[in-house]
Amino acid sequence: MIFTLHGWSFDRHVWKGTPFEDGNHMELPGHGESPFKTTNLLKLSEEIGEIIPEGTTLVGWSLGATISLLVGALYPEKVERLILIAPTVRFSGVSQPEVVVERFLKKLKRNFQKTVLEFRNLCSEENFPIPELNPETATELLKNFAHFDLSPYLKRVEVPVEIAVGEEDRITGVEGALSVFKVLKKVRLTVYPKKDHLTALYSLSV
């Protein structure tokens, strides 16, 4: 059974047109109609780990990839396989300079809608609808993601992992994908030429 987790400022509709269109789409706190409230990544991963069944394939994109890896590390008896698009060990300091991340978080607090639009333009030139977002929850979730270090958890992931990233990804970047790839055991990495943070989703063939 396939469960998906989208990236920041998107929602379940991002999976339309991908190989995972018919999966069970979970929405992150502060996004769309998410039932989840906590912005603590570990607690959120535990909530998700409790509701997924055994034999689950978790598909995570960007922030969703971090959550998927945590669930895979914490619930190995339930997760059969991980498919990660644009993952990173740590967003701030690996995928983006720390000063850039801190500046972005400050801009979010000053003008949430405008800053979300700027972020989406960095994700891709493709125009994709912005879902209903709770500014406070979404900002706190991004802040927690930006500073979260996956390193201690990656070594606990034993299941097969597929990693995909766009060559022109300006958000988590090829560097972020490599930072995860280098640590995992049963892993394969595909870099899609001329694809960005968003369009890599639509290049997958599974």
Side-chain angles (χ1 to χ4, degrees), residues 186-198:
K186 305 172 185 176
V187 60
R188 183 173 67 176
L189 170 65
T190 303
V191 180
Y192 289 98
K194 299 181 181 180
K195 299 300 179 181
D196 56 35
H197 193 64
L198 173 64

Side-chain angles (χ1 to χ4, degrees), residues 83-96:
I83 300 174
L84 311 173
I85 306 95
T88 184
V89 163
R90 182 183 168 100
F91 186 63
S92 179
V94 173
S95 290
Q96 297 288 338

Side-chain angles (χ1 to χ4, degrees), residues 64-82:
T66 292
I67 301 298
S68 297
L69 279 163
L70 282 173
V71 177
L74 298 174
Y75 293 85
E77 73 282 2
K78 287 190 170 184
V79 178
E80 187 174 84
R81 182 185 180 205
L82 290 169

Side-chain angles (χ1 to χ4, degrees), residues 144-170:
N144 290 341
F145 164 63
H147 300 293
F148 192 87
D149 187 356
L150 267 174
S151 300
Y153 301 93
L154 290 182
K155 295 178 181 178
R156 295 165 57 179
V157 176
E158 300 285 348
V159 299
V161 181
E162 297 279 342
I163 296 177
V165 63
E167 182 184 34
E168 299 178 3
D169 189 322
R170 294 190 290 169

Side-chain angles (χ1 to χ4, degrees), residues 88-106:
T88 184
V89 163
R90 182 183 168 100
F91 186 63
S92 179
V94 173
S95 290
Q96 297 288 338
E98 293 182 10
V99 64
V100 171
V101 174
E102 293 308 313
R103 188 183 304 132
F104 182 82
L105 290 170
K106 289 178 181 178

